[in-house]
Amino acid sequence: MTAPRCSLPRAARLRKSVARIAGVWGLSILCSLHAADLSSAAREVKAVAAEGRGNPAASVAWRRLAAADSKSLPVLLGAMDGANDYALNWLRSAVETVVQRETEAGHILPVEPLTRFVRDTRHHPRARYLALELITRQDAAIGARLLPEFLNDPAPDLRRDAVQAVIDEGARFGTNNKAAAIPLFQKALTSVREPDQVDDLAKRLADLGQKVDLPKVFGWVNKWKVIGPFDNTGGAGFERVFPPETQLDTSLKFDGKSGSVGWRDYQTTSDYGLVDFNQPFTPLKGVTGYALAEFWSDTPRRVELRIGCKVGWKVWANGRFLFGRDEYHRGFEIDQYRMPIDLLKGRNLILVKCCQNEQTEDWTKEWEFQLRITDSTGNPIFSTR
Amino acid sequence: MNHPFSLLSLRCGVLLASTVVAGSLQADWKQFRGSAGDSVEPGSRIPSQLDARSTVWSAALPGRGISSPVIVGDRVFVTSCSGGRQDRLHVLCFNLSDGSLRWERKFWATGRTMTHEKISGAAPSPATDGHRIFAFFSSNDCVALDLDGNLLWYRGLGRDYPNASNSLGMASSLSVIGEVVVAQVENDSESFAAGLDARTGTNVWKLDRPKRANWTSPFPFREADGRISAILQSSKGVVAIDPATGQTRWSYTDGASTAPSSTSAGGRIYVPSQGLTVLEPVSGAAPKQIWRSSQLRPGTASPVVVGGKIFTLNDGGILSCGDIADGRRLWQLRLKGSFSSTPVSAGGFLYCINEDGLVQVIDPSTPTGSVVSELPLNDIIIGTPSIAGDSLLIRSDKKLWRIGRNSSL
């Protein structure tokens, strides 16, 4: 059997082939141009910085990003890799603008590429979470099926939602079916990172007769040396440099607010790791205390120092000042302040200054802080010694 | 067959009519307590007899918030926050006519999001100049969008100035004056006020402010010489600044509250200071004190001036009425419940909403004031309502209501 002959003359066939090839090339070139333009626009948006620097150029470039189609969503999400917190919001709003326009036009969001994206832990955690939001928007069942994959994910928001799904599953059994509920809550407890979820799980498990070792779950730094009181009359002690800030020899004694003071050992057994200066020094007002901890690490590594404190505080790691805040008795929560630090291999010294003011109301008695070292997901890191 | 020109004319006519219906017959409500920051919409005719049929529509909100809605034409803009740490910031645009969601944009907070449980990340109210929306959050994130939700610029003031936060939460709302967005980011630590360029978000000016937590909001005030000042209140008192430069025009230094904001009427400013103090700014000099009353001390709610009377509401629900001529207290009326939100006034009536969501309509023209109707919304309401034409816009953590004349009945 012979193949049917093409009815077009040879020249016409040639022209058609050339046109086909040119069309494919043209499309390819157009796609490349489009991708290049998106990439260029994303670069301009990612150049935004503190105090609105780069905003005018970003505003123009943002329009090009927001004009993309739904197929470009993985590209837009990928642009979040390496973006600062300002740029993340610019990019997020471009994604949402595209999604709104495309869904209103009846176009379907690209679930498969988005699924690949959310599973790829090399991408920015927030971009991955947004990808899951988009998948769920397109098909809630797929989003729900994916969620358990993220129970131990490095992206905090993905992990949080996955942990919550397990908590919710356990809660459905409640106290009527302890045998089913307890393993689910314990499973969630091994993955949980968010303090409010830890508290929730601890309460649920306590209701079922299970005690949770909260200091271990949170990973508080619990062994300290403390010294004080120094003066903080009129709040002036916050800025004043007392000897412990410059001389970290714990054998030394110094002139304190009301006589000679020296370092003493202090270990907190509080579930919430509270280093309570009112215990060693009795409740005082207008005073400053210091706490010093050794934290040992097997390797040099970047970690997070997380502190909660409702009075004035400053913190140093290995002699380097990290941050301080002179706010008194406005509020307190776990991980209230987070800052990156670089642990050295071996011994690291963490110094905390904690200032109490002179307010007299009942709710101003606390003169304390809590501190832990974690990775970026909130997983506690313990001193190796 | 219609001639194309006729069809075009017809379409233009319909469009024009829609615009008039949607936009021109009602004044926009452009910021916390209205475009003038005085809580009053005299031309509005919200029904004074509210009942279960008065809910025109309600819409679900995706997160918490106590900010007030702002209104431009047929669009209602509301902010919310969600997430375990209130770190997802929402800006939503609803259609005033039917409550349908027109668009929503979400952002990630770049500053601290911790607040007291009664406040929330979406405590400051957004503001608009009629063309752009400027949304502000407790984390000090500030977003500028056009009316269709396109991002114009983004600022993370809590990231830029990392000690600018309040562990109880920030609640000061924005005010847009000319091409400057005025923000008070005042707290115990890194305390400042800033004028942001409405076009780009960059700082036009930035002023150090008293280091004391402050939840009051800036508002525009027309001076005797016609210039518009931005009024900034703090624990130290009140300053009037040139919104274009941040330079002080005059100041009052006898202290002021950090929760209820001042209000203005008839060229005077009613300041929650030493009870209530009334100032009359004089060009080029310190403002003249007209009167002071310890009997008209407001609670969290800001004072409201209507019809020659001033009204203050304390947190326990005592509504006090004073004569604006001399500050003499005329009467007091006990309302039901506790109050955080500021009353608004329309058509001579006062609309007061307690924390349990009970709307109480007050006729202040009677000799001792009287409650003329009540509408229970059965939800916790902390935020101040807004007025859109003949309707109230009220929000809780969960819902947005339009209350008014229900034409569908």
Side-chain angles (χ1 to χ4, degrees):
Chain A
M1 186 177 161
T2 54
R5 284 182 61 88
C6 179
S7 59
L8 285 174
R10 182 181 169 81
R13 288 205 307 273
L14 187 63
R15 278 200 300 275
K16 192 173 179 186
S17 298
V18 169
R20 258 193 209 136
I21 292 165
V24 171
W25 281 357
L27 186 62
S28 171
I29 289 165
L30 275 178
C31 287
S32 301
L33 279 175
H34 182 58
D37 185 52
L38 284 184
S39 176
S40 153
R43 266 197 309 278
E44 286 175 57
V45 163
K46 287 167 81 172
V48 293
E51 297 192 312
R53 285 192 290 280
N55 275 1
S59 189
V60 175
W62 182 90
R63 297 238 164 214
R64 282 158 39 212
L65 294 178
D69 59 17
S70 61
K71 291 190 187 72
S72 304
L73 286 172
V75 176
L76 293 180
L77 291 168
M80 291 184 178
D81 296 346
N84 63 35
D85 285 354
Y86 311 104
L88 283 174
N89 279 315
W90 285 84
L91 293 165
R92 175 175 187 130
S93 71
V95 168
E96 288 180 340
T97 305
V98 169
V99 168
Q100 181 188 345
R101 189 184 57 251
E102 292 286 282
T103 52
E104 282 175 0
H107 297 161
I108 291 170
L109 302 183
V111 169
E112 281 185 27
L114 289 171
T115 301
R116 284 195 295 276
F117 189 95
V118 71
R119 284 178 164 151
D120 187 344
T121 56
R122 293 170 300 179
H123 288 307
H124 194 290
R126 289 197 146 156
R128 293 178 58 223
Y129 188 79
L130 180 53
L132 183 63
E133 283 187 66
L134 299 183
I135 292 166
T136 304
R137 177 187 179 129
Q138 183 61 51
D139 189 329
I142 294 177
R145 275 203 304 275
L146 283 170
L147 193 57
E149 293 183 23
F150 308 118
L151 193 59
N152 295 300
D153 197 275
D157 289 338
L158 287 173
R159 189 185 191 110
R160 181 188 174 88
D161 283 6
V163 166
Q164 193 59 49
V166 178
I167 296 173
D168 293 344
E169 192 183 346
R172 278 195 287 276
F173 294 108
T175 51
N176 297 328
N177 189 347
K178 285 185 182 183
I182 289 171
L184 286 165
F185 291 147
Q186 284 174 336
K187 178 183 175 185
L189 195 64
T190 60
S191 299
V192 68
R193 295 289 181 267
E194 299 285 325
D196 63 312
Q197 289 184 319
V198 173
D199 274 338
D200 182 31
L201 279 167
K203 287 190 188 93
R204 290 181 186 279
L205 283 164
D207 289 344
L208 300 174
Q210 307 290 307
K211 181 164 171 54
V212 174
D213 184 351
L214 283 173
K216 188 176 171 190
V217 174
F218 284 118
W220 307 115
V221 175
N222 58 6
K223 287 183 185 166
W224 296 85
K225 285 185 182 297
V226 295
I227 191 170
F230 297 93
D231 194 21
N232 190 33
T233 304
F238 179 79
E239 288 299 345
R240 192 170 157 194
V241 178
F242 294 106
E245 294 180 33
T246 54
Q247 303 172 64
L248 276 183
D249 181 344
T250 55
S251 67
L252 295 177
K253 290 191 176 299
F254 306 112
D255 289 335
K257 183 173 184 178
S258 49
S260 178
V261 297
W263 291 95
R264 60 175 93 173
D265 289 331
Y266 179 90
Q267 180 160 359
T268 175
T269 54
S270 150
D271 276 351
Y272 293 94
L274 295 170
V275 179
D276 179 3
F277 287 92
N278 285 332
Q279 288 179 2
F281 302 127
T282 71
L284 297 170
K285 285 288 176 179
V287 287
T288 295
Y290 290 88
L292 179 68
E294 288 184 349
F295 193 93
W296 293 78
S297 176
D298 286 343
T299 55
R301 62 186 297 195
R302 172 149 279 216
V303 297
E304 280 191 9
L305 185 152
R306 299 183 174 198
I307 193 166
C309 188
K310 66 175 290 204
V311 291
W313 61 273
K314 289 183 178 181
V315 65
W316 295 258
N318 296 323
R320 190 171 73 85
F321 174 69
L322 299 176
F323 198 70
R325 181 157 174 78
D326 52 344
E327 180 187 63
Y328 292 88
H329 302 295
R330 295 296 188 192
F332 170 87
E333 70 176 7
I334 296 169
D335 297 347
Q336 196 169 355
Y337 308 96
R338 295 164 50 173
M339 55 216 88
I341 64 166
D342 292 309
L343 287 181
L344 307 173
K345 181 180 178 181
R347 189 179 77 148
N348 295 268
L349 288 178
I350 297 166
L351 177 69
V352 178
K353 180 179 190 176
C354 192
C355 301
Q356 170 65 296
N357 70 357
E358 295 162 282
Q359 282 180 264
T360 55
E361 297 92 334
D362 278 351
W363 44 270
T364 66
K365 286 179 181 166
E366 292 88 355
W367 177 25
E368 64 196 14
F369 73 91
Q370 60 180 196
L371 186 148
R372 64 187 186 136
I373 304 291
T374 73
D375 65 14
S376 61
T377 72
N379 191 30
I381 296 169
F382 295 89
S383 176
T384 53
R385 228 188 256 185
Chain B
M1 184 179 162
N2 287 318
H3 187 276
F5 181 77
S6 304
L7 189 59
L8 182 66
S9 302
L10 179 65
R11 281 179 180 159
C12 287
V14 169
L15 183 65
L16 185 63
S18 306
T19 306
V20 167
V21 168
S24 302
L25 291 181
Q26 78 179 46
D28 294 338
W29 190 265
K30 292 183 174 175
Q31 64 171 57
F32 174 57
R33 301 186 298 156
S35 301
D38 60 4
S39 311
V40 180
E41 190 55 73
S44 171
R45 290 287 177 270
I46 300 169
S48 58
Q49 294 300 318
L50 297 182
D51 56 34
R53 295 165 299 174
S54 303
T55 298
V56 180
W57 51 256
S58 69
L61 294 175
R64 299 189 57 205
I66 60 171
S67 58
S68 298
V70 294
I71 295 109
V72 180
D74 188 43
R75 299 177 188 218
V76 182
F77 301 91
V78 189
T79 58
S80 286
C81 65
S82 65
R85 288 186 174 267
Q86 300 190 76
D87 57 357
R88 284 170 220 163
L89 314 176
H90 304 246
V91 183
L92 303 110
C93 176
F94 293 91
N95 286 310
L96 176 64
S97 51
D98 60 6
S100 59
L101 182 67
R102 190 185 280 255
W103 53 258
E104 177 184 12
R105 298 288 180 267
K106 285 183 263 183
F107 302 91
W108 290 295
T110 65
R112 282 187 279 280
T113 56
M114 176 183 178
T115 69
H116 185 277
E117 62 184 19
K118 194 170 176 179
I119 307 180
S120 87
S125 299
T128 176
D129 61 358
H131 309 286
R132 296 164 289 197
I133 296 300
F134 305 96
F136 198 40
F137 296 87
S138 175
S139 56
N140 295 319
D141 285 273
C142 189
V143 188
L145 300 153
D146 71 16
L147 300 187
D148 293 324
N150 293 305
L151 182 66
L152 301 173
W153 50 262
Y154 195 94
R155 283 294 302 273
L157 295 170
R159 176 57 57 94
D160 294 350
Y161 311 108
N163 244 326
S165 68
N166 180 342
S167 298
L168 288 172
M170 308 285 287
S172 182
S173 300
L174 298 175
S175 185
V176 191
I177 305 175
E179 284 295 317
V180 176
V181 181
V182 180
Q184 285 183 260
V185 187
E186 302 186 11
N187 57 90
D188 293 341
S189 192
E190 195 171 1
S191 191
F192 68 90
L196 308 179
D197 186 330
R199 292 159 295 201
T200 65
T202 52
N203 293 356
V204 179
W205 48 264
K206 180 169 176 277
L207 304 174
D208 287 340
R209 295 283 290 157
K211 284 182 61 161
R212 172 94 184 265
N214 183 12
W215 296 272
T216 66
S217 298
F219 64 94
F221 174 74
R222 186 176 293 281
E223 303 279 358
D225 59 10
R227 295 181 301 175
I228 304 292
S229 292
I231 301 298
L232 310 183
Q233 181 181 321
S234 74
S235 60
K236 301 285 188 193
V238 170
V239 293
I241 60 163
D242 178 348
T245 65
Q247 290 185 328
T248 299
R249 286 179 171 154
W250 55 261
S251 59
Y252 161 81
T253 58
D254 207 9
S257 173
T258 55
S261 300
S262 301
T263 193
S264 69
R268 292 177 175 177
I269 301 179
Y270 297 79
V271 184
S273 165
Q274 315 295 329
L276 193 74
T277 299
V278 182
L279 305 176
E280 189 168 285
V282 180
S283 288
K288 195 164 61 178
Q289 182 176 312
I290 305 300
W291 52 259
R292 174 174 282 177
S293 168
S294 60
Q295 293 187 318
L296 295 172
R297 182 185 301 275
T300 304
S302 303
V304 182
V305 175
V306 189
K309 294 172 183 166
I310 181 154
F311 300 91
T312 58
L313 182 58
N314 72 15
D315 292 356
I318 304 294
L319 180 69
S320 297
C321 173
D323 187 329
I324 61 166
D326 55 12
R328 186 170 40 98
R329 191 170 69 194
L330 302 173
W331 50 259
Q332 287 187 298
L333 179 67
R334 177 176 286 282
L335 305 183
K336 291 176 184 166
S338 303
F339 286 81
S340 288
S341 77
T342 293
V344 292
S345 174
F349 292 90
L350 284 170
Y351 296 80
C352 307
I353 309 175
N354 72 18
E355 292 182 359
D356 296 324
L358 181 69
V359 185
Q360 295 165 78
V361 185
I362 316 300
D363 181 356
S365 66
T366 58
T368 56
S370 56
V371 178
V372 294
S373 71
E374 295 179 347
L375 172 63
L377 296 175
N378 301 314
D379 204 346
I380 296 170
I381 294 185
I382 307 294
T384 293
S386 302
I387 297 175
D390 295 341
S391 305
L392 285 174
L393 273 298
I394 303 169
R395 68 89 48 84
S396 69
D397 278 343
K398 306 183 197 88
K399 257 184 174 181
L400 173 69
W401 290 265
R402 179 179 176 184
I403 303 295
R405 243 175 225 100
N406 199 336
S407 57
S408 64
L409 295 175

